[in-house]
């Protein structure tokens, strides 16, 4: 995916505006004037009793948009807290609210939580290889290199197929295991060797010709990566196929959703990434 899935962006936005929606919904349920109730909702008296209706959805929206492992757990925690405080509050106002509105609100919330349990959605948060929008611009290269697993002293020959400030693709007949730490040396100009360390990222394909490496930078290695990227940029080696494409636009997503029903769940097919 070249950008955050639109379904997640929309869900995050809806959570950000949920406090306003809760105020309007409460006004309708209690048969109050919406504007008058909104003014009342801005008072310290209302906020003290209903702070969770403001805070929890905003934290949940931020967590959805962040698309990180920690944010998935933060989302779960914030929604659980919202469920608890909402249930406690609704029980004190059960006679004035009624059963149907409570059931409806909980049904919607449970449906949203269930959506995040779908494997393809959850993988966006737990598998950084799904988050292409986090990648720096890549540059085509054909540098020879030597690499080794940090658990070994044996150097293995390979080639750098493409390079970015935060990682590279290394062509090699021998692959490390997924998440292994590797050390890479790239002979450069006039005997200069660029050295990088990072984590191997394996795509688990039988026909793979190499593997990815996500750098774990030191101050020195980051400077080396930045200098090499600047050199490759001047040579016009940038690879443009990881840039945002027309197919990533909101209008294209809506048309696809309406005409094919696809788009509610992130696409894990690497051919479409």
């Amino acid at each position: 995916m070249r950008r955050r899935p639109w379904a997640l962006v929309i869900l995050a936005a809806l959570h950000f505006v949920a406090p306003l929606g809760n105020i309007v919904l409460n006004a309708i349920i209690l048969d109050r004037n919406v504007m008058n109730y909104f003014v009342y909702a801005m008072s310290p008296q209302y906020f003290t009793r209903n702070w969770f209706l403001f805070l929890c959805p905003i934290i949940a929206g931020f967590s959805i948009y962040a698309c990180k492992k920690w944010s998935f757990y933060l989302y779960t925690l914030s929604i659980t807290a919202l469920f608890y405080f909402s249930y406690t509050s609704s029980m004190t106002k059960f006679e004035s609210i009624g059963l149907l509105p409570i059931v409806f609100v909980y049904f919607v919330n449970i449906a949203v939580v269930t959506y995040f349990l779908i494997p393809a959605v959850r993988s966006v948060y737990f598998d950084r290889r799904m988050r292409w929008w986090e990648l720096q611009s890549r540059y085509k290269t054909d540098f020879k290199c030597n690499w080794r697993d940090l658990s070994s002293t044996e150097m293995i020959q390979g080639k750098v197929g493409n390079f970015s400030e935060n990682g590279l693709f290394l062509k090699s007949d021998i692959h490390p295991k997924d998440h292994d730490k590797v050390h890479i040396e790239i002979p450069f100009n006039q005997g200069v060797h660029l050295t990088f360390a990072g984590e191997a990222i394996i795509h688990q394909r039988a026909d793979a010709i190499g593997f990815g490496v996500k750098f774990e930078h030191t101050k020195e290695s980051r400077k080396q990566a930045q200098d090499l990227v600047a050199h490759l940029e001047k040579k016009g080696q940038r690879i443009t196929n990881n840039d945002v494409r027309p197919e990533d636009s909101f209008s294209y997503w809506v048309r696809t959703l309406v005409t094919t029903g696809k788009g509610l769940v992130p696409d894990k097919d690497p051919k479409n990434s």
Side-chain angles (χ1 to χ4, degrees):
M1 291 173 292
R2 313 292 172 171
R3 63 170 334 284
R4 281 179 174 79
W6 279 110
L8 296 183
V9 173
I10 292 172
L11 280 174
L14 289 175
H15 279 75
F16 283 127
V17 301
L20 177 60
N22 286 328
I23 293 173
V24 173
L25 182 62
N26 285 339
I28 294 173
I29 291 174
L30 297 173
D31 196 24
R32 305 280 183 82
N33 179 274
V34 174
M35 289 304 300
N36 290 341
Y37 194 83
F38 182 81
V39 173
Y40 166 65
M42 295 298 102
S43 67
Q45 178 186 2
Y46 181 92
F47 186 82
T48 300
R49 294 201 312 267
N50 299 283
W51 59 269
F52 56 89
L53 293 177
F54 294 86
L55 184 61
C56 291
I58 291 175
I59 293 176
F62 169 77
S63 302
I64 292 171
Y65 190 80
C67 291
K68 303 288 187 180
K69 182 186 295 186
W70 60 262
S71 73
F72 183 90
Y73 293 121
L74 182 59
Y75 168 77
T76 304
L77 179 63
S78 61
I79 290 300
T80 300
L82 180 62
F83 278 12
Y84 171 77
F85 288 120
S86 295
Y87 175 79
T88 303
S89 176
S90 62
M91 288 302 98
T92 62
K93 299 179 289 186
F94 182 81
E95 292 184 0
S96 58
I97 295 177
L99 178 62
L100 188 58
I102 296 175
V103 171
F104 172 75
V105 170
Y106 274 86
F107 175 80
V108 171
N109 288 333
I110 291 172
V112 173
V113 172
T114 302
Y115 172 79
F116 286 96
L117 299 179
I118 298 173
V121 178
R122 194 171 64 247
S123 65
V124 175
Y125 293 82
F126 286 85
D127 186 353
R128 60 171 168 264
R129 289 171 290 192
M130 291 283 291
R131 302 192 292 268
W132 277 56
W133 62 87
E134 294 181 352
L135 298 181
Q136 301 286 339
S137 295
R138 294 183 296 140
Y139 297 84
K140 183 179 180 180
T141 66
D142 195 26
F143 299 137
K144 292 182 179 179
C145 70
N146 296 305
W147 70 274
R148 65 178 175 86
D149 191 298
L150 287 186
S151 62
S152 171
T153 58
E154 180 184 0
M155 298 298 288
I156 302 168
Q157 292 185 343
K159 282 189 176 183
V160 179
N162 61 65
F163 188 91
S164 75
E165 188 177 323
N166 63 358
L168 56 78
F169 180 75
L170 199 157
K171 297 179 180 179
S172 175
D173 294 330
I174 301 174
H175 299 170
K177 294 180 180 178
D178 203 14
H179 304 303
D180 274 1
K181 306 298 182 181
V182 296
H183 173 83
I184 303 162
E185 296 181 1
I186 305 174
F188 201 51
N189 293 331
Q190 300 177 348
V192 175
H193 284 66
L194 307 180
T195 59
F196 301 97
E199 178 183 357
I201 300 175
I202 310 298
H203 290 287
Q204 307 296 351
R205 287 175 49 189
D207 60 342
I209 61 172
F211 56 94
V213 177
K214 179 178 175 59
F215 293 147
E216 296 178 350
H217 276 308
T218 62
K219 184 177 180 180
E220 181 181 358
S221 69
R222 184 176 297 280
K223 179 65 166 56
Q224 290 181 345
Q226 291 171 344
D227 289 345
L228 182 54
V229 162
H231 170 75
L232 295 170
E233 180 71 34
K234 289 181 180 179
K235 293 183 64 177
Q237 297 295 100
R238 183 197 290 244
I239 301 172
T240 59
N241 65 358
N242 67 323
D243 295 333
V244 175
R245 305 166 297 185
E247 302 95 280
D248 297 316
S249 67
F250 179 72
S251 59
Y252 183 89
W253 176 77
V254 171
R255 289 197 304 270
T256 302
L257 181 63
V258 172
T259 57
T260 68
K262 295 181 179 180
L264 285 178
V265 176
D267 189 355
K268 294 186 66 175
D269 187 346
K271 294 182 294 185
N272 296 328
S273 295

